[in-house]
Amino acid sequence: MVQKPVGPERLVKSETRLRLGDALAALSRKAGLRNEDPTVLDAVRDTAPAKPLTFD
C-alpha cells in the first residue's frame, strides 16, 4: 500500500508525478524485453575506455 505524503511533502510529491522506475519498467515490457536481454547486451558492448577530450 502506498502512503500518501503528509505535510510539506504534499507540495513536493504530487500524486501525478512521473515515477521513473515505473515508466522504465512499462517501456521495457512494451518493447518485449526479458531479464536475459541486458546480459546479452553487456556481453557484446565495447568496454574500452573512452578517448579523453582534447581542446586543440
Side-chain angles (χ1 to χ4, degrees), residues 8 25 27 30-31 36 44:
L27 181 65
K30 185 177 179 182
E36 299 82 25
V44 297

Side-chain angles (χ1 to χ4, degrees), residues 1-48:
M1 177 179 218
V2 177
Q3 293 182 357
K4 292 187 179 187
V6 179
E9 290 181 1
R10 285 184 297 160
L11 301 173
V12 184
K13 294 186 176 182
S14 158
E15 292 200 20
T16 59
R17 74 183 189 274
L18 174 65
R19 294 180 173 221
L20 189 56
D22 293 341
L24 289 173
L27 181 65
S28 64
R29 280 193 298 273
K30 185 177 179 182
L33 294 178
R34 300 169 305 183
N35 288 338
E36 299 82 25
D37 293 335
T39 306
V40 173
L41 294 174
D42 284 340
V44 297
R45 73 181 177 101
D46 183 12
T47 58

